[in-house]
Amino acid sequence: MTTTTTEAPIADWVDPAELMRDPYPTYRRLVHETPVAWVPALGRYLVTSSAACRAIEEDQETFSAAVRGGGATMARAMGATPMLRKDDPDHARERTAINTSLRPKSLRAHWAPIFERNARNHLETLRSYGPDEADLNRDYAAPVASQNLIDLLGLRHVTVDDLRRWSHAFIAGTGNLLDDAEIWRRCDAAQDEVDALLTELIPFYRKAPDESITSALIASGLPVEQVTANVKLVISGGMNEPQHAVTNAVWALSHHPAQRRRVLADPSLWARVFDEAVRWQSPIGMYPRETTRAVTLQGVQLPAEAPVGVVVGAANRDPAAFARPDEFDIDRERRPHLAFGSGVHLCAGHWAARIAIGDVAVPLLYEELPGLGTDPRRPETWDGWVFRGLTTLPVTWDA
């Protein structure tokens, strides 16, 4: 941290459309020139260096998760404020309710066989399209992530299409800062459907508790509105990272054949593939915070109630934290990244993602589909920067 204090530089050159297409050139310039900067086009301060992002997560008293704007739309989208937009002790009280369901021991003992069953089921769907028409995101990554989440939440009689529709509606509502009526219509419809489902599930799980997240939330004694808000939070946030982790890993290995050959020869390297894939192409690129007081961050003055974007997608490629940060390299020195956040708001589901995707879903693809790789004959599509990933990824394999 520098001792020189200045007002925040203005990055009026940042173009939201370019961020959506490919945020990394913008990230490189911000990290190099202005790692804490006011961005008029986004109406917030963007923080892009690894050190500054970590400093924010270590000081929740100054950098609050209970943001206005995005916090208000999230509460509107989900019917109440979920734990993600709370600070301790309220955040800790609700987070503790689900921690037992998401510990590594419980995940490996109870959930890993379910994750493998889901992956094998949807692998058959992918295989049915054949090596000329299969899309890894559509036919495998998205439905596997959806079904795993349905099972983790204990949502009975729910399809992967239901969950995907609800997730998209809640995410759109959370980001509906322009108050678009059609977005609220879809979001309200999703709320009604989930509320109706939970009206049935809450008394069911009170009588017959199990290992699911919903059951744990109910057993914790939280008010019903907080149970429902947090179930909706998991629905909205629990699909993107595991879904994109699948496609990112396959895309990365397809473009780095020497590393792909090494991993196939040594399955112990799959954990490194997962970690490096989510660092290199972070599925969650940015999340909001708000200052509770005037503060100096890396020598830059921020006022009280300043809207801040913690750009972990940029921090994960900060050359001050990672050597050759723009390269995918499973042999790089092991250093903690921010793909799952850090501090008290470290993603509750990070172990579930590591096991379901890093241990099961991605290795299974290569075991069952020899020669798997991206298909250069058909176009692929990347999208987003707040949430970023491949929305289409044509793949092929040896027939």
Side-chain angles (χ1 to χ4, degrees), residues 364-385:
L364 183 65
L365 285 168
Y366 289 91
E367 290 172 14
E368 296 292 329
L369 300 175
L372 176 72
T374 58
D375 188 346
R377 301 168 297 177
R378 295 177 285 151
E380 63 195 29
T381 307
W382 291 85
D383 185 56
W385 69 283

Side-chain angles (χ1 to χ4, degrees), residues 81-126:
T81 302
M83 71 180 82
L84 188 64
R85 290 293 171 262
K86 295 180 179 180
D87 300 315
D88 288 343
D90 293 336
H91 164 265
R93 186 179 306 113
E94 297 179 28
R95 171 73 173 257
T96 300
I98 67 171
N99 280 347
T100 54
S101 299
L102 297 172
R103 289 173 180 158
K105 184 176 181 180
S106 172
L107 288 163
R108 294 190 189 283
H110 179 79
W111 293 108
I114 295 171
F115 295 154
E116 181 172 357
R117 178 199 67 195
N118 294 340
R120 288 191 179 278
N121 286 343
H122 290 289
L123 179 67
E124 293 311 307
T125 301
L126 180 74

